Amino acid sequence: MRRLLVLLAAALGWGVVLCLCPISAGAQTPSSTTTTPASGPAPENVFGVLTDKKGTIDANDDVPIVGVRVIITTPDGTPVGESTTDDTGAFKVDLPGEGTYKASVETSTLPKGVTLTRDSIDFPVNPGQSRRLNFEVNAAARETTGKFNQFLQALVDGTNFGLIIAMCAVGLSLIYGTTGLVNFAHGELVTMGAMVAFFFNRTLGWPLILAGVLAVVLVGAFGWGLDAGFWGPLRRRGTGNITMMVVSIGLQLALVNLYLYQFGGLTRPYSDFHAQEAWTVGPVDIAPKKLASTLISLTLLILVAVLLQRTRTGKAMRAIADNPDLASSSGINVDAVIRMVWMFGAGLAAVGGVLFSVSQDVNFEEGSGLLLLLFAAITLGGLGAAYGALLGGFIIGLFVNVSTVWIPTELKNVGALAVLILVLLVRPQGLLGRAERIG
């Protein structure tokens, strides 16, 4: 029965990945803007809302602008479509397919006294994408180039990113602590969570909340089956940690290329919460979805800390991370707990992938891009220390965003690694790790 469950869990996980075939690059491109299969993605379109800001940052005095004509053309001026804003100031135009377009506001239809920062916008559209355009109408003159304002914005964005990194890193840290495995394929569990949610949301039309919950459950089951049917047998055969690390690199390469084959190389958004108007609080802009993501991440991290500290399973995880032999002699089923760690870590990675993709959209290599930061987080916090991973992940994610105020965005990961090196020079065991005796 146990072997049957292992095979079913593994087959379920791989089956979900292979089911992503309907969302490949070719399947995403609708052939027409008027006829789309009910089960397929919506046609490409562009939409927006024209709102008179009255020259202030107070949203309470905003007024929708009705009857304004918005024209969409190709870059060479060929008309594609047009729309007139309704009673809410909204407009929407279906597009013939992917490509680059130009949206122009016919200024003669604007009310008297209404001015635009710019009356035309050039924009690209990916297959199946619904693109939002923002025309600044009587926008408040607001200083956005000051370093302090940039710092506050980066602090808000970095808090969200740091919590997501912490959530993904805690599973990686627990896996290392209980098995000694440096799992280079952990980032692909992040991508798997995002892509499975995308499959249920965009292809099957499920609400993103339901799709995300099911993605977490399935990826967690995949993690359980992966250990039961793959890593567990390798451990029982006495495979060394270096060999297993090399195997994890091979698994990572296999998964990322499978994602590329099935999903394609384009970045695609979820159907829900894709385009939201940000709330303005002083010099800081924050979208409702990013605020919700921050609150969800913070709640889950608190629950993780309580689970590790208060529950028998959490105590068993920490005991195995401290001393597997002593934990086994105390009556703890080490293999069963390690399997729970894999399920737990994969589920958290999936949550992080979904929340990250809500803001950054879904890409086949998003987990690979986060992997370096995850390793930096668990090293900074202390190898194998779950609470250290939470702290280290938050610090790394926050620093990566805040550092862009002073250094180019392309170098932000370099800054995070510089902080990691400086901390380890002072405290080699990490922030919450324990010093080990040598000899």
mmCIF file of all heavy atoms in Angstrom, residues 173 176 375-389 391-392 419-438:
data_model
loop_
_atom_site.group_PDB
_atom_site.id
_atom_site.type_symbol
_atom_site.label_atom_id
_atom_site.label_comp_id
_atom_site.label_asym_id
_atom_site.label_seq_id
_atom_site.Cartn_x
_atom_site.Cartn_y
_atom_site.Cartn_z
ATOM 1 N N SER A 173 15.626 25.314 3.826
ATOM 2 C CA SER A 173 16.445 25.175 5.036
ATOM 3 C C SER A 173 16.093 23.901 5.796
ATOM 4 O O SER A 173 16.980 23.190 6.293
ATOM 5 C CB SER A 173 16.250 26.398 5.937
ATOM 6 O OG SER A 173 17.022 26.290 7.115
ATOM 7 N N TYR A 176 17.535 20.879 4.037
ATOM 8 C CA TYR A 176 18.969 20.747 4.300
ATOM 9 C C TYR A 176 19.222 20.277 5.731
ATOM 10 O O TYR A 176 20.072 19.410 5.977
ATOM 11 C CB TYR A 176 19.677 22.082 4.063
ATOM 12 C CG TYR A 176 21.131 22.046 4.448
ATOM 13 C CD1 TYR A 176 22.087 21.523 3.580
ATOM 14 C CD2 TYR A 176 21.557 22.515 5.695
ATOM 15 C CE1 TYR A 176 23.424 21.458 3.943
ATOM 16 C CE2 TYR A 176 22.891 22.451 6.066
ATOM 17 C CZ TYR A 176 23.818 21.928 5.184
ATOM 18 O OH TYR A 176 25.144 21.863 5.550
ATOM 19 N N PHE A 375 19.439 30.563 -1.428
ATOM 20 C CA PHE A 375 20.656 30.048 -0.807
ATOM 21 C C PHE A 375 21.314 31.115 0.072
ATOM 22 O O PHE A 375 21.834 30.821 1.151
ATOM 23 C CB PHE A 375 21.631 29.568 -1.877
ATOM 24 C CG PHE A 375 21.314 28.208 -2.413
ATOM 25 C CD1 PHE A 375 21.258 27.966 -3.779
ATOM 26 C CD2 PHE A 375 21.059 27.145 -1.562
ATOM 27 C CE1 PHE A 375 20.972 26.720 -4.278
ATOM 28 C CE2 PHE A 375 20.758 25.880 -2.049
ATOM 29 C CZ PHE A 375 20.712 25.670 -3.411
ATOM 30 N N ALA A 376 21.297 32.351 -0.412
ATOM 31 C CA ALA A 376 21.852 33.439 0.400
ATOM 32 C C ALA A 376 21.064 33.595 1.698
ATOM 33 O O ALA A 376 21.646 33.845 2.763
ATOM 34 C CB ALA A 376 21.826 34.744 -0.397
ATOM 35 N N ALA A 377 19.755 33.422 1.628
ATOM 36 C CA ALA A 377 18.908 33.575 2.815
ATOM 37 C C ALA A 377 19.210 32.517 3.863
ATOM 38 O O ALA A 377 19.375 32.831 5.052
ATOM 39 C CB ALA A 377 17.435 33.521 2.412
ATOM 40 N N ILE A 378 19.295 31.246 3.450
ATOM 41 C CA ILE A 378 19.515 30.194 4.447
ATOM 42 C C ILE A 378 20.947 30.226 4.968
ATOM 43 O O ILE A 378 21.204 29.828 6.108
ATOM 44 C CB ILE A 378 19.165 28.799 3.883
ATOM 45 C CG1 ILE A 378 20.105 28.390 2.751
ATOM 46 C CG2 ILE A 378 17.726 28.761 3.413
ATOM 47 C CD1 ILE A 378 19.903 26.971 2.282
ATOM 48 N N THR A 379 21.886 30.697 4.173
ATOM 49 C CA THR A 379 23.260 30.823 4.652
ATOM 50 C C THR A 379 23.379 31.978 5.630
ATOM 51 O O THR A 379 24.057 31.875 6.669
ATOM 52 C CB THR A 379 24.226 31.034 3.472
ATOM 53 O OG1 THR A 379 24.044 29.986 2.512
ATOM 54 C CG2 THR A 379 25.665 31.022 3.942
ATOM 55 N N LEU A 380 22.736 33.074 5.316
ATOM 56 C CA LEU A 380 22.760 34.227 6.209
ATOM 57 C C LEU A 380 22.076 33.914 7.535
ATOM 58 O O LEU A 380 22.569 34.271 8.608
ATOM 59 C CB LEU A 380 22.067 35.419 5.538
ATOM 60 C CG LEU A 380 21.942 36.705 6.356
ATOM 61 C CD1 LEU A 380 23.322 37.252 6.703
ATOM 62 C CD2 LEU A 380 21.144 37.753 5.583
ATOM 63 N N GLY A 381 20.936 33.231 7.474
ATOM 64 C CA GLY A 381 20.211 32.919 8.701
ATOM 65 C C GLY A 381 20.841 31.811 9.509
ATOM 66 O O GLY A 381 20.658 31.735 10.724
ATOM 67 N N GLY A 382 21.588 30.927 8.848
ATOM 68 C CA GLY A 382 22.188 29.783 9.534
ATOM 69 C C GLY A 382 21.741 28.507 8.863
ATOM 70 O O GLY A 382 20.537 28.219 8.814
ATOM 71 N N LEU A 383 22.685 27.736 8.313
ATOM 72 C CA LEU A 383 22.331 26.525 7.575
ATOM 73 C C LEU A 383 21.549 25.559 8.451
ATOM 74 O O LEU A 383 21.992 25.197 9.542
ATOM 75 C CB LEU A 383 23.600 25.852 7.057
ATOM 76 C CG LEU A 383 24.330 26.588 5.925
ATOM 77 C CD1 LEU A 383 25.641 25.887 5.608
ATOM 78 C CD2 LEU A 383 23.456 26.673 4.687
ATOM 79 N N GLY A 384 20.386 25.147 7.960
ATOM 80 C CA GLY A 384 19.568 24.190 8.684
ATOM 81 C C GLY A 384 18.690 24.796 9.754
ATOM 82 O O GLY A 384 17.867 24.087 10.345
ATOM 83 N N ALA A 385 18.810 26.083 10.028
ATOM 84 C CA ALA A 385 18.000 26.738 11.055
ATOM 85 C C ALA A 385 16.752 27.325 10.416
ATOM 86 O O ALA A 385 16.845 28.254 9.608
ATOM 87 C CB ALA A 385 18.806 27.837 11.759
ATOM 88 N N ALA A 386 15.588 26.787 10.760
ATOM 89 C CA ALA A 386 14.341 27.233 10.127
ATOM 90 C C ALA A 386 14.054 28.694 10.434
ATOM 91 O O ALA A 386 13.707 29.478 9.550
ATOM 92 C CB ALA A 386 13.180 26.353 10.588
ATOM 93 N N TYR A 387 14.211 29.079 11.706
ATOM 94 C CA TYR A 387 13.969 30.478 12.056
ATOM 95 C C TYR A 387 15.009 31.381 11.402
ATOM 96 O O TYR A 387 14.727 32.520 11.042
ATOM 97 C CB TYR A 387 14.003 30.654 13.573
ATOM 98 C CG TYR A 387 12.908 29.885 14.289
ATOM 99 C CD1 TYR A 387 13.219 28.933 15.251
ATOM 100 C CD2 TYR A 387 11.576 30.105 13.997
ATOM 101 C CE1 TYR A 387 12.229 28.218 15.905
ATOM 102 C CE2 TYR A 387 10.564 29.402 14.640
ATOM 103 C CZ TYR A 387 10.902 28.458 15.599
ATOM 104 O OH TYR A 387 9.919 27.753 16.232
ATOM 105 N N GLY A 388 16.213 30.884 11.241
ATOM 106 C CA GLY A 388 17.237 31.654 10.549
ATOM 107 C C GLY A 388 16.874 31.901 9.107
ATOM 108 O O GLY A 388 17.138 32.979 8.557
ATOM 109 N N ALA A 389 16.252 30.900 8.467
ATOM 110 C CA ALA A 389 15.808 31.076 7.080
ATOM 111 C C ALA A 389 14.737 32.157 6.975
ATOM 112 O O ALA A 389 14.729 32.950 6.027
ATOM 113 C CB ALA A 389 15.287 29.756 6.528
ATOM 114 N N LEU A 391 14.373 34.772 8.987
ATOM 115 C CA LEU A 391 15.025 36.067 9.177
ATOM 116 C C LEU A 391 15.925 36.405 8.001
ATOM 117 O O LEU A 391 15.888 37.526 7.476
ATOM 118 C CB LEU A 391 15.822 36.053 10.479
ATOM 119 C CG LEU A 391 16.592 37.337 10.821
ATOM 120 C CD1 LEU A 391 15.630 38.510 10.969
ATOM 121 C CD2 LEU A 391 17.418 37.143 12.094
ATOM 122 N N GLY A 392 16.742 35.440 7.572
ATOM 123 C CA GLY A 392 17.647 35.699 6.467
ATOM 124 C C GLY A 392 16.921 36.009 5.181
ATOM 125 O O GLY A 392 17.332 36.897 4.420
ATOM 126 N N VAL A 419 26.350 41.749 1.374
ATOM 127 C CA VAL A 419 25.914 41.739 2.774
ATOM 128 C C VAL A 419 26.111 40.362 3.382
ATOM 129 O O VAL A 419 26.554 40.216 4.529
ATOM 130 C CB VAL A 419 24.426 42.165 2.857
ATOM 131 C CG1 VAL A 419 23.887 41.946 4.261
ATOM 132 C CG2 VAL A 419 24.276 43.621 2.466
ATOM 133 N N LEU A 420 25.798 39.321 2.615
ATOM 134 C CA LEU A 420 25.973 37.950 3.080
ATOM 135 C C LEU A 420 27.438 37.690 3.446
ATOM 136 O O LEU A 420 27.743 37.142 4.515
ATOM 137 C CB LEU A 420 25.530 36.980 1.987
ATOM 138 C CG LEU A 420 25.837 35.497 2.206
ATOM 139 C CD1 LEU A 420 25.056 34.971 3.392
ATOM 140 C CD2 LEU A 420 25.529 34.693 0.956
ATOM 141 N N ILE A 421 28.341 38.099 2.597
ATOM 142 C CA ILE A 421 29.766 37.875 2.848
ATOM 143 C C ILE A 421 30.227 38.620 4.095
ATOM 144 O O ILE A 421 30.955 38.088 4.945
ATOM 145 C CB ILE A 421 30.594 38.298 1.624
ATOM 146 C CG1 ILE A 421 30.287 37.371 0.442
ATOM 147 C CG2 ILE A 421 32.084 38.276 1.930
ATOM 148 C CD1 ILE A 421 30.881 37.826 -0.873
ATOM 149 N N LEU A 422 29.786 39.873 4.242
ATOM 150 C CA LEU A 422 30.203 40.670 5.404
ATOM 151 C C LEU A 422 29.700 40.049 6.710
ATOM 152 O O LEU A 422 30.426 39.991 7.701
ATOM 153 C CB LEU A 422 29.666 42.101 5.258
ATOM 154 C CG LEU A 422 30.313 42.944 4.151
ATOM 155 C CD1 LEU A 422 29.616 44.297 4.041
ATOM 156 C CD2 LEU A 422 31.799 43.137 4.426
ATOM 157 N N VAL A 423 28.458 39.566 6.709
ATOM 158 C CA VAL A 423 27.916 38.956 7.922
ATOM 159 C C VAL A 423 28.658 37.670 8.260
ATOM 160 O O VAL A 423 29.007 37.409 9.421
ATOM 161 C CB VAL A 423 26.403 38.679 7.754
ATOM 162 C CG1 VAL A 423 25.882 37.846 8.917
ATOM 163 C CG2 VAL A 423 25.631 39.982 7.665
ATOM 164 N N LEU A 424 28.959 36.864 7.248
ATOM 165 C CA LEU A 424 29.630 35.602 7.500
ATOM 166 C C LEU A 424 31.077 35.802 7.939
ATOM 167 O O LEU A 424 31.642 34.952 8.632
ATOM 168 C CB LEU A 424 29.583 34.724 6.249
ATOM 169 C CG LEU A 424 28.185 34.229 5.848
ATOM 170 C CD1 LEU A 424 28.270 33.320 4.630
ATOM 171 C CD2 LEU A 424 27.519 33.496 7.004
ATOM 172 N N LEU A 425 31.695 36.903 7.548
ATOM 173 C CA LEU A 425 33.038 37.186 8.036
ATOM 174 C C LEU A 425 33.035 37.452 9.541
ATOM 175 O O LEU A 425 33.989 37.134 10.255
ATOM 176 C CB LEU A 425 33.624 38.394 7.293
ATOM 177 C CG LEU A 425 34.071 38.153 5.839
ATOM 178 C CD1 LEU A 425 34.482 39.473 5.190
ATOM 179 C CD2 LEU A 425 35.208 37.152 5.789
ATOM 180 N N VAL A 426 31.932 38.041 10.013
ATOM 181 C CA VAL A 426 31.822 38.346 11.446
ATOM 182 C C VAL A 426 31.240 37.163 12.201
ATOM 183 O O VAL A 426 31.662 36.843 13.319
ATOM 184 C CB VAL A 426 30.943 39.599 11.643
ATOM 185 C CG1 VAL A 426 30.769 39.906 13.127
ATOM 186 C CG2 VAL A 426 31.554 40.787 10.916
ATOM 187 N N ARG A 427 30.256 36.484 11.612
ATOM 188 C CA ARG A 427 29.571 35.367 12.273
ATOM 189 C C ARG A 427 29.417 34.228 11.280
ATOM 190 O O ARG A 427 28.395 34.121 10.594
ATOM 191 C CB ARG A 427 28.208 35.836 12.791
ATOM 192 C CG ARG A 427 27.492 34.828 13.682
ATOM 193 C CD ARG A 427 26.196 35.392 14.215
ATOM 194 N NE ARG A 427 25.440 34.385 14.938
ATOM 195 C CZ ARG A 427 25.631 34.075 16.219
ATOM 196 N NH1 ARG A 427 26.583 34.687 16.908
ATOM 197 N NH2 ARG A 427 24.899 33.136 16.813
ATOM 198 N N PRO A 428 30.403 33.343 11.163
ATOM 199 C CA PRO A 428 30.389 32.307 10.115
ATOM 200 C C PRO A 428 29.193 31.364 10.188
ATOM 201 O O PRO A 428 28.789 30.816 9.161
ATOM 202 C CB PRO A 428 31.692 31.540 10.375
ATOM 203 C CG PRO A 428 32.554 32.497 11.119
ATOM 204 C CD PRO A 428 31.633 33.326 11.944
ATOM 205 N N GLN A 429 28.625 31.150 11.383
ATOM 206 C CA GLN A 429 27.502 30.217 11.500
ATOM 207 C C GLN A 429 26.176 30.850 11.098
ATOM 208 O O GLN A 429 25.132 30.188 11.144
ATOM 209 C CB GLN A 429 27.391 29.682 12.934
ATOM 210 C CG GLN A 429 26.981 30.708 13.983
ATOM 211 C CD GLN A 429 28.184 31.406 14.597
ATOM 212 O OE1 GLN A 429 29.208 31.570 13.945
ATOM 213 N NE2 GLN A 429 28.069 31.801 15.860
ATOM 214 N N GLY A 430 26.176 32.103 10.691
ATOM 215 C CA GLY A 430 24.939 32.770 10.337
ATOM 216 C C GLY A 430 24.299 33.439 11.535
ATOM 217 O O GLY A 430 24.767 33.301 12.675
ATOM 218 N N LEU A 431 23.228 34.162 11.285
ATOM 219 C CA LEU A 431 22.616 34.968 12.345
ATOM 220 C C LEU A 431 22.061 34.116 13.468
ATOM 221 O O LEU A 431 22.254 34.423 14.651
ATOM 222 C CB LEU A 431 21.510 35.841 11.746
ATOM 223 C CG LEU A 431 21.963 36.891 10.724
ATOM 224 C CD1 LEU A 431 20.766 37.632 10.148
ATOM 225 C CD2 LEU A 431 22.939 37.875 11.369
ATOM 226 N N LEU A 432 21.361 33.035 13.144
ATOM 227 C CA LEU A 432 20.739 32.203 14.163
ATOM 228 C C LEU A 432 21.297 30.780 14.188
ATOM 229 O O LEU A 432 20.754 29.914 14.869
ATOM 230 C CB LEU A 432 19.217 32.128 13.945
ATOM 231 C CG LEU A 432 18.460 33.454 14.030
ATOM 232 C CD1 LEU A 432 16.968 33.232 13.885
ATOM 233 C CD2 LEU A 432 18.761 34.204 15.326
ATOM 234 N N GLY A 433 22.368 30.545 13.458
ATOM 235 C CA GLY A 433 22.998 29.244 13.458
ATOM 236 C C GLY A 433 23.868 29.049 14.690
ATOM 237 O O GLY A 433 24.197 29.997 15.393
ATOM 238 N N ARG A 434 24.224 27.802 14.954
ATOM 239 C CA ARG A 434 25.043 27.487 16.113
ATOM 240 C C ARG A 434 26.482 27.201 15.662
ATOM 241 O O ARG A 434 26.705 26.503 14.676
ATOM 242 C CB ARG A 434 24.503 26.266 16.840
ATOM 243 C CG ARG A 434 23.142 26.496 17.460
ATOM 244 C CD ARG A 434 22.680 25.274 18.250
ATOM 245 N NE ARG A 434 22.680 24.080 17.391
ATOM 246 C CZ ARG A 434 22.368 22.859 17.845
ATOM 247 N NH1 ARG A 434 22.066 22.691 19.115
ATOM 248 N NH2 ARG A 434 22.359 21.834 17.024
ATOM 249 N N ALA A 435 27.425 27.742 16.404
ATOM 250 C CA ALA A 435 28.822 27.487 16.090
ATOM 251 C C ALA A 435 29.158 26.019 16.365
ATOM 252 O O ALA A 435 28.690 25.435 17.349
ATOM 253 C CB ALA A 435 29.723 28.393 16.941
ATOM 254 N N GLU A 436 29.937 25.411 15.464
ATOM 255 C CA GLU A 436 30.308 24.010 15.616
ATOM 256 C C GLU A 436 31.799 23.898 15.916
ATOM 257 O O GLU A 436 32.609 24.659 15.395
ATOM 258 C CB GLU A 436 29.990 23.230 14.320
ATOM 259 C CG GLU A 436 28.519 23.207 13.993
ATOM 260 C CD GLU A 436 28.241 22.389 12.744
ATOM 261 O OE1 GLU A 436 29.209 21.834 12.194
ATOM 262 O OE2 GLU A 436 27.071 22.333 12.332
ATOM 263 N N ARG A 437 32.098 22.932 16.786
ATOM 264 C CA ARG A 437 33.494 22.708 17.122
ATOM 265 C C ARG A 437 34.171 21.917 16.000
ATOM 266 O O ARG A 437 33.595 21.028 15.411
ATOM 267 C CB ARG A 437 33.589 21.934 18.438
ATOM 268 C CG ARG A 437 33.002 22.693 19.614
ATOM 269 C CD ARG A 437 33.173 21.905 20.900
ATOM 270 N NE ARG A 437 34.582 21.707 21.211
ATOM 271 C CZ ARG A 437 35.025 21.034 22.269
ATOM 272 N NH1 ARG A 437 34.160 20.475 23.102
ATOM 273 N NH2 ARG A 437 36.315 20.887 22.476
ATOM 274 N N ILE A 438 35.418 22.239 15.775
ATOM 275 C CA ILE A 438 36.211 21.559 14.759
ATOM 276 C C ILE A 438 37.277 20.736 15.451
ATOM 277 O O ILE A 438 38.031 21.248 16.278
ATOM 278 C CB ILE A 438 36.862 22.566 13.782
ATOM 279 C CG1 ILE A 438 35.789 23.408 13.093
ATOM 280 C CG2 ILE A 438 37.726 21.847 12.765
ATOM 281 C CD1 ILE A 438 36.343 24.465 12.186
#
